[in-house]
């Protein structure tokens, strides 16, 4: 019989040096209800707070089951206060409401498995006046201030009070053209020098003026239905073009192509390089054409008439490609956005008072704003997404709008008659307005392209009141 060696088993009280980590893990799982980690404290589940560690005293709420209904009422009242203001707090007393509001931002009520180290103040929908360390607040940008008074006023004797005329335009060379009675005057915005360009004579009258996009050519529409082209740099008339049977109240340039709209309901397209007086005739309006504007890409022409219609034409059409009939009064005010292709703004007369926005690319009506007054003119800022409207009956105001919210940045007053004429400076910062009160007023309304705080050179150097004649 072989001898056998018996190895005694270790005592239960003495841990074996050969006990594996796997065995310790199994033992921990078996006794998990009694095991406590020495390195951290577990409060509760990540979604369910522990009552013993939660700080209900912040809300003056007892965590015992018999007071749960009161706790729910107090919490609901506090929530109403945060959402709807102190008057909606209901049954919570003012003293308790103040104490609760003061303690909420500083500490957490509930305790979970892991403490939140980052301040929750940055996540609050209702910002407190208190400054919390470690939280960066972006300063609220102050709204841009627009001067409520003109920096210059020019007397303009015989400036007509006629809604259907367009007697003021500002060239790319910083020269203002103004039709006064039967004469056209030029005012140089850099030197303030006034030049008399032409006199049509006692039997004729200036009904519209329009500068070419580049160069020194000025178109003049007359009450006899003629369109004259002048070289303003030499004060010399280049040619006279006919076609209209009645006065020409609207002009718009597209490169070398000039469009003219008249009281005879027609629009004529004129190429000043051609021998003919006009290359095409656009028919569609049932009353006087009083508004004309080419788009910035020179592909679309918008026209407005006394028939309450807004039409859009392309370069080759003799019939409108788009027709908008929502206005209920004459459409003189027309402006294309320089920021978004196909965005067109139009304004209606006294019976309408609305500014409407259209997308000519999708042929859709975007929005409408009731201004409360006759809309006489519209012009879009080149530097920011804003526009200006001038008005007649009954408030005679000038409004600067932010698009697309159509919130008012400024309302400018000063004219005592309808603000029938509007033009914008070549740098896009200054507008000039004209009215039947025989004044031209210059306003700094838009920021410069580079800085929203820099003043235009025109406004800084041209103060006071003079006459344009």
């Amino acid at each position: 019989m072989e001898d056998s060696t018996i190895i005694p088993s270790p005592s239960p009280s003495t841990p074996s040096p050969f006990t594996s980590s796997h065995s310790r893990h199994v033992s921990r799982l078996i006794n998990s209800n009694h095991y406590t980690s020495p390195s951290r404290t577990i409060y509760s589940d990540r979604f369910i707070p522990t009552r013993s560690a939660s700080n209900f005293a912040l809300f003056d709420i007892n965590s015992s089951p018999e007071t749960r209904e009161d706790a729910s009422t107090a919490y609901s009242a506090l929530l109403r206060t945060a959402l709807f203001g102190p008057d909606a707090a209901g049954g919570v007393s003012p003293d308790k409401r103040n104490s609760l509001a003061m303690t909420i931002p500083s500490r957490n009520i509930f305790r979970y498995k892991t403490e939140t180290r980052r301040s929750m103040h940055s996540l609050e929908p209702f910002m407190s006046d208190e400054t919390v360390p470690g939280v960066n607040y972006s300063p609220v940008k102050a709204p841009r201030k627009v001067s409520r008074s003109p920096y210059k006023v020019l007397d303009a004797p015989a400036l007509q009070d006629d809604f259907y005329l367009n007697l003021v335009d500002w060239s790319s060379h910083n020269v203002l053209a103004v039709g006064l009675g039967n004469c056209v005057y030029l005012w140089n915005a850099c030197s303030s020098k006034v030049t008399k360009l032409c006199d049509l004579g006692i039997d004729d009258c200036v009904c519209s003026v329009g500068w070419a996009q580049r160069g020194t050519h000025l178109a003049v529409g007359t009450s006899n239905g003629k369109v004259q082209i002048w070289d303003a740099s030499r004060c010399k008339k280049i040619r006279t073009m006919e076609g209209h049977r009645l006065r020409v109240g609207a002009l718009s340039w597209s490169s070398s192509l000039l469009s003219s709209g008249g009281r005879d309901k027609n629009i004529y397209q004129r190429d000043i390089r051609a021998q003919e007086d006009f290359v095409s005739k656009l028919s569609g309006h049932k009353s006087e054409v009083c508004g004309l504007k080419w788009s910035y890409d020179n592909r679309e022409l918008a026209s407005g008439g006394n028939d309450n219609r807004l039409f859009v034409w392309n370069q080759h059409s003799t019939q409108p490609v788009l027709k908008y009939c929502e206005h209920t009064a004459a459409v003189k005010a027309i402006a294309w956005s320089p920021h978004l292709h196909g965005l067109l703004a139009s304004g209606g007369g006294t019976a309408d008072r609305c500014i409407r926005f259209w997308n000519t690319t999708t042929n859709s009506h975007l929005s409408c704003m009731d201004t409360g007054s006759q809309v006489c003119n519209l012009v879009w800022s080149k530097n920011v997404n804003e526009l200006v409207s001038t008005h007649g009956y009954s408030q005679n105001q000038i409004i600067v709008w932010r698009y697309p919210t159509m919130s008012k940045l400024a309302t400018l007053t000063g004219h005592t008659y309808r603000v029938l004429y509007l033009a914008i400076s070549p740098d896009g910062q200054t507008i000039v307005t004209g009215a039947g009160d025989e004044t031209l007023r210059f306003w700094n309304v838009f920021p410069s392209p580079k800085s929203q705080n820099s003043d235009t050179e025109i406004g800084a150097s041209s103060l006071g009141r003079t006459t344009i004649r």
Side-chain angles (χ1 to χ4, degrees):
M1 181 176 182
E2 294 183 0
D3 292 336
S4 63
T5 302
I6 301 175
I7 300 175
S9 52
S11 171
S13 60
T14 304
S16 170
F18 305 103
T19 304
S20 66
S21 61
H22 176 73
S23 301
R24 288 197 298 271
H25 180 66
V26 172
S27 175
R28 184 182 300 175
L29 291 177
I30 295 173
N31 300 285
S32 60
N33 292 336
H34 309 287
Y35 176 79
T36 303
S37 172
S39 62
R40 61 191 180 95
T41 302
I42 297 178
Y43 294 112
S44 183
D45 185 84
R46 35 184 312 200
F47 301 114
I48 304 174
T50 175
R51 289 188 172 277
S52 61
S54 297
N55 207 349
F56 291 104
L58 286 175
F59 271 62
D60 198 17
I61 301 173
N62 194 330
S63 61
S64 59
E66 57 269 15
T67 60
R68 286 179 181 174
E69 184 175 349
D70 294 339
S72 177
T73 302
Y75 181 77
S76 299
L78 184 74
L79 184 60
R80 285 196 300 271
T81 301
L83 292 173
F84 306 112
D87 295 336
V92 179
S93 64
D95 294 338
K96 184 180 294 185
R97 193 160 59 234
N98 292 336
S99 65
L100 295 179
M102 292 176 63
T103 56
I104 288 174
S106 59
R107 300 176 62 189
N108 292 333
I109 303 168
F110 302 115
R111 304 291 283 278
Y112 294 88
K113 186 173 182 179
T114 304
E115 287 284 358
T116 303
R117 297 183 183 275
R118 186 166 63 92
S119 171
M120 297 300 291
H121 192 275
S122 60
L123 303 179
E124 290 183 15
F126 308 98
M127 298 302 293
S128 170
D129 291 336
E130 300 177 8
T131 301
V132 179
V135 179
N136 294 324
Y137 298 99
S138 298
V140 178
K141 188 176 181 180
R144 181 167 54 81
K145 292 184 179 180
V146 178
S147 175
R148 298 306 199 267
S149 58
Y151 68 81
K152 186 175 184 64
V153 179
L154 290 177
D155 289 320
L159 186 61
Q160 296 189 58
D161 183 32
D162 191 327
F163 178 80
Y164 301 100
L165 306 185
N166 293 275
L167 297 176
V168 177
D169 199 22
W170 207 328
S171 80
S172 59
H173 290 272
N174 215 6
V175 177
L176 192 71
V178 185
L180 300 178
N182 52 12
C183 298
V184 176
Y185 290 87
L186 305 179
W187 179 77
N188 190 305
C190 298
S191 63
S192 296
K193 180 182 178 181
V194 178
T195 303
K196 183 178 180 180
L197 179 68
C198 65
D199 188 337
L200 302 182
I202 193 171
D203 296 327
D204 208 349
C205 185
V206 179
C207 296
S208 55
V209 294
W211 286 102
Q213 294 170 343
R214 294 178 179 84
T216 58
H217 287 174
L218 178 71
V220 178
T222 74
S223 59
N224 289 338
K226 295 179 174 61
V227 176
Q228 299 181 0
I229 306 297
W230 287 77
D231 184 346
S233 63
R234 298 184 295 160
C235 290
K236 181 179 179 180
K237 182 168 65 174
I238 298 175
R239 64 183 298 183
T240 299
M241 296 179 285
E242 301 184 354
H244 291 287
R245 294 178 287 104
L246 299 171
R247 70 180 182 183
V248 181
L251 296 167
S252 183
W253 287 84
S254 170
S255 188
S256 60
L257 188 68
L258 172 65
S259 303
S260 62
R263 200 170 194 173
D264 58 4
K265 313 171 189 176
N266 296 320
I267 300 171
Y268 286 98
Q269 306 281 50
R270 310 172 186 273
D271 191 335
I272 61 172
R273 300 168 301 181
Q275 287 187 337
E276 298 82 11
D277 284 345
F278 58 90
V279 295
S280 63
K281 175 182 175 181
L282 312 184
S283 302
H285 284 286
K286 305 300 181 184
S287 189
E288 180 172 9
V289 178
C290 50
L292 277 179
K293 277 293 188 310
W294 277 97
S295 62
Y296 281 87
D297 59 6
N298 292 326
R299 293 183 178 180
E300 294 178 300
L301 173 68
S303 65
N306 198 30
D307 53 2
N308 310 344
R309 300 292 188 261
L310 174 67
F311 293 159
V312 177
W313 319 72
N314 63 29
Q315 294 171 306
H316 310 291
S317 64
T318 56
Q319 293 293 319
V321 293
L322 298 175
K323 297 181 180 181
Y324 299 121
C325 307
E326 280 77 1
H327 284 292
T328 57
V331 182
K332 177 193 178 186
I334 299 172
W336 292 93
S337 170
H339 310 290
L340 186 61
H341 174 72
L343 177 56
L344 176 64
S346 60
T350 308
D352 183 84
R353 305 182 307 274
C354 292
I355 300 174
R356 296 180 182 270
F357 296 91
W358 319 86
N359 186 334
T360 62
T361 303
T362 59
N363 190 21
S364 57
H365 181 208
L366 300 177
S367 61
C368 175
M369 168 62 69
D370 190 339
T371 67
S373 293
Q374 175 190 44
V375 184
C376 302
N377 293 280
L378 288 168
V379 68
W380 223 291
S381 168
K382 307 170 187 176
N383 307 330
V384 288
N385 202 12
E386 299 169 5
L387 68 158
V388 165
S389 59
T390 71
H391 300 269
Y393 301 126
S394 58
Q395 300 180 44
N396 304 330
Q397 78 272 41
I398 303 157
I399 303 178
V400 184
W401 307 87
R402 179 181 284 115
Y403 187 82
T405 61
M406 290 304 286
S407 56
K408 292 182 182 180
L409 284 173
T411 300
L412 312 176
T413 56
H415 284 291
T416 55
Y417 280 63
R418 298 179 295 173
V419 189
L420 296 177
Y421 310 111
L422 171 67
I424 188 168
S425 64
D427 64 6
Q429 298 181 65
T430 304
I431 60 169
V432 59
T433 56
D437 56 12
E438 298 185 339
T439 65
L440 296 172
R441 297 170 186 262
F442 294 80
W443 318 77
N444 285 323
V445 295
F446 294 131
S448 67
K450 296 181 181 179
S451 171
Q452 295 196 3
N453 295 320
S454 64
D455 294 328
T456 174
E457 295 180 0
I458 304 170
S461 61
S462 303
L463 301 176
R465 180 163 181 158
T466 57
T467 181
I468 199 169
R469 285 191 170 185

